[in-house]
Amino acid sequence: MKVEKLILDGNRVADDMKEQLVVRVKELSGKGIVPCLATILVGDDPSSATYVRMKGNACKRIGIHSIRVDLPSSTTTDELIAAINKLNDEPTVHGILLQHPVPHHIDERAAFEAIRIEKDVDGVTTQGFAQNAFGLADYPSCTPAAILAILEYYNIPIEGKHAVVIGRSPILGKPVSAMLLNKDATVTTCHSKTTNLEDIVRLGDIVVAAVGKPKFVQGDWIKPGAVVIDAGYNKGNLGDVDYDACLKNAYAITPVPAGVGPVTIATLLKHTVEAAEKCAI
Ligand code: NAP
């Protein structure tokens, strides 16, 4: 018997989110407010420049104003914090995104912490992270929130399921683990020191790959009927999951590209619109 596979189409989820945002942006415009996202790019990393451009274009397409602050690689931590503070104090800016990674000599954590919580639309501050852990964040990290949005869109049950998250970064693995736990999954978070990783992944009803290694998750690690979410994005349009191999056992899976990526951008737009709406109250 042929088992139907569910391909979790991120473009479809993102389009649905953006359609709703267009209406909200119009409503704000009636009140004289244009949502505005400020993006800061430090240095000349080509991938980061591409991400920033994609985010700017996505803003434009739905009527969100975007400001781009380009700083040279030689920028110091103090100079970066000064640039963030300027945006913190600018009432027409509703969201601030500092593109990660910044050059090594900069204290990235200190820079993230400088973003005022009301404008932390990417959930990078420790306050935003803590709120997320309590299930109270206005703006959880965008990629974890995108993963939850995909599961919700496709009505994939989370409660009581065993979710295995591979990766524990502060922007992805840890917050998505907290969000799944808050949705009553039993969560195992794995990392580079985890022993018997494959055996643990085999227990997962939901497997989230956030490793940063192309095609890392192998097909025979996936329990038959599991849901596989590939948050990875590596050179050559490759995810962290061996898609073709994992598809064999998975019931549902996100492709790369067109999986988590577009929903992450739509989530950033959503958070920016929500931040602007708070100013309209
Ligand atoms: P990161 O900060 O490099 O974290 C990678 C995590 O994977 C770490 O926790 C690391 O463990 C763990 N890891 C590394 N090797 C491992 C191994 N052999 N076994 C088990 N765990 C291992 O990366 P990130 O920023 O979270 O990003 C992860 C992936 O998501 C990347 O592919 C990135 O491009 C992608 N990403 C996608 C989006 C999107 O919008 N789709 C957004 C952000 C990131 P340790 O903590 O022990 O080092």
Side-chain angles (χ1 to χ4, degrees):
M1 193 181 73
K2 196 167 175 276
V3 181
E4 281 303 318
K5 303 284 177 182
L6 180 59
I7 308 303
L8 306 170
D9 180 349
N11 283 333
R12 196 168 141 188
V13 182
D15 286 347
D16 185 65
M17 287 169 74
K18 285 187 275 188
E19 229 168 76
Q20 296 173 38
L21 289 176
V22 168
V23 177
R24 290 162 73 174
V25 169
K26 273 206 187 107
E27 276 168 18
L28 280 169
S29 133
K31 296 175 184 167
I33 295 172
V34 181
C36 174
L37 175 71
T39 311
I40 306 171
L41 177 64
V42 189
D44 44 21
D45 175 58
S47 318
S48 294
T50 305
Y51 293 143
V52 166
R53 202 171 39 249
M54 278 166 66
K55 287 165 188 168
N57 289 341
C59 283
K60 212 181 289 168
R61 279 196 288 272
I62 69 156
I64 295 178
H65 185 48
S66 72
I67 295 175
R68 186 169 155 170
V69 179
D70 284 314
L71 298 172
S73 319
S74 58
T75 302
T76 64
T77 303
D78 285 348
E79 286 166 344
L80 176 55
I81 290 176
I84 292 169
N85 279 333
K86 213 165 145 197
L87 297 168
N88 278 335
D89 292 339
E90 175 49 61
T92 59
V93 170
H94 304 103
I96 301 172
L97 180 123
L98 171 61
Q99 184 64 42
H100 160 89
V102 294
H104 290 303
H105 66 275
I106 292 178
D107 182 345
E108 186 177 76
R109 182 47 34 210
F112 279 150
E113 293 309 327
I115 298 171
R116 198 173 286 159
I117 185 75
E118 296 81 13
K119 300 192 181 191
D120 179 19
V121 287
D122 201 20
V124 293
T125 59
T126 47
Q127 193 180 348
F129 182 90
Q131 287 174 346
N132 184 47
F134 282 94
L136 297 171
D138 285 333
Y139 315 119
S141 296
C142 290
T143 305
I147 291 169
L148 272 285
I150 292 170
L151 294 173
E152 190 181 343
Y153 183 91
Y154 283 99
N155 290 317
I156 291 173
I158 300 175
E159 185 185 313
K161 301 296 178 189
H162 187 174
V164 176
V165 177
I166 317 169
R168 58 171 166 182
S169 73
I171 58 143
L172 222 174
K174 276 182 189 159
V176 80
S177 296
M179 291 168 95
L180 289 163
L181 183 62
N182 289 337
K183 291 278 182 194
D184 296 322
T186 301
V187 181
T188 305
T189 307
C190 304
H191 47 79
S192 66
K193 307 289 186 291
T194 298
T195 49
N196 302 327
L197 177 72
E198 304 168 27
D199 291 340
I200 295 171
V201 176
R202 281 189 189 105
L203 300 173
D205 302 305
I206 299 171
V207 175
V208 178
V211 198
K213 295 200 161 130
K215 292 187 163 191
F216 179 78
V217 177
Q218 303 299 300
D220 63 350
W221 300 7
I222 301 302
K223 176 162 96 173
V227 175
V228 179
I229 305 287
D230 188 351
Y233 191 72
N234 306 286
K235 261 197 195 114
N237 268 345
L238 293 174
D240 288 349
V241 158
D242 185 342
Y243 180 84
D244 291 326
C246 290
L247 186 60
K248 289 193 182 111
N249 274 349
Y251 151 66
I253 189 165
T254 57
V256 175
V260 174
V263 190
T264 297
I265 293 183
T267 303
L268 177 66
L269 305 181
K270 177 169 167 267
H271 290 172
T272 304
V273 170
E274 285 169 357
E277 285 170 345
K278 289 207 172 71
C279 294
I281 298 168

